[in-house]
Amino acid sequence: MATSLILFLQEAWGALVAALLIVVILALLAQALRTATGIALGANSWTQEAISAAVGILLLAGFALLGVPAIVRAAALAMPGCGGPLDELGQVSAQVIGGIVAVRILRSAFVAIAQASLGGRFSISNTLIEAAEAVFGMLLIGLAAPLANHFLATAC
Amino acid sequence: MFKPLMDVITQLASDLFSFLVGLIIIVVIIGIVYNALKASAFSLFGGSQTTAVAILGTAGLVLLTLFTFLIIPQIHKLLQEWAPKPPFGSIPVALAWCSLSRYLTWVG
């Protein structure tokens, strides 16, 4: 069950990364079209907006592709220790929780890039807030296994 | 599980990419023709500043087209190299933590 769940999350991760690459390239092309239109019409502010949006999209893509895996690995390594009768359960739950957190953070980064490519208001802060929420939730859930271990050890 | 969906999305994205490339070419050609007309018209009437702006606009359009069609594929290659594998599942994180804890206990 846990293996199939992890495989599903891995497939979801791969699909999200592929969709993110597609959206980034199309957004860059759309901003290039906007820049060309601005230059042709002599609209300076339009050109400036398009160039800054393209730079913002590239920065967001860099954060999503390089920053998110590093955050997830760091959070997974910060999971509390295990041992005792719930050792195997702790390992499996850590992997599943890490997968859910990774997909969630990547989804929020994807939404930020999609908003930026549509020309709407975009900010990386929402992505970071979601990442912090997910990591905090992961740590809270990770406390459950040691507590249960302690309870079982004292009860038996 | 996501493969059929990704196939559809890839096909749509490919069509959209071709459409956007065609649109950029059309806009750039129209922009160059418009700027050439503007430059010739204002040079006829002695408007040197507008003529200079129109010539610079034409050069900018050509440079932007070159930049778009040469740099965007390189950016795509770079992003593909950056594409991360799933940072979970393959590494037995809890196991690594246990080993580290045991090692630290042993060292302590």
Side-chain angles (χ1 to χ4, degrees), chain B residues 89-105:
Chain B
S90 58
I91 307 166
V93 174
L95 194 64
W97 178 262
C98 288
S99 307
L100 182 66
S101 304
R102 280 187 203 122
Y103 175 73
L104 289 175
T105 313

Side-chain angles (χ1 to χ4, degrees), chain A residues 38-82:
Chain A
I39 292 175
L41 295 175
N44 290 333
S45 61
W46 206 358
T47 308
Q48 288 164 6
E49 277 176 18
I51 291 171
S52 58
V55 173
I57 288 165
L58 274 181
L59 283 177
L60 280 172
F63 169 74
L65 296 178
L66 299 178
V68 172
I71 291 173
V72 172
R73 281 196 198 99
L77 283 174
M79 290 282 282
C82 53

Side-chain angles (χ1 to χ4, degrees), chain A residues 1 8-10 13 24-25 40 64 70 116 124-125 129-130 134 153-155:
Chain A
M1 177 66 186
F8 173 77
L9 288 169
Q10 283 179 341
W13 172 274
V24 166
I25 292 303
I124 203 166
S125 58
I129 288 169
E130 277 214 38
T154 51

Side-chain angles (χ1 to χ4, degrees), chain A residues 13 62-79 97-98 101-106 108-109 124 127-136 138-139, chain B residues 84 87-88 93:
Chain A
W13 172 274
F63 169 74
L65 296 178
L66 299 178
V68 172
I71 291 173
V72 172
R73 281 196 198 99
L77 283 174
M79 290 282 282
I97 293 166
V101 166
V103 172
R104 196 177 158 197
I105 298 175
L106 193 65
S108 59
I124 203 166
T127 308
L128 289 176
I129 288 169
E130 277 214 38
E133 277 176 11
V135 169
F136 188 65
M138 185 179 171
L139 291 179
Chain B
F88 52 90
V93 174

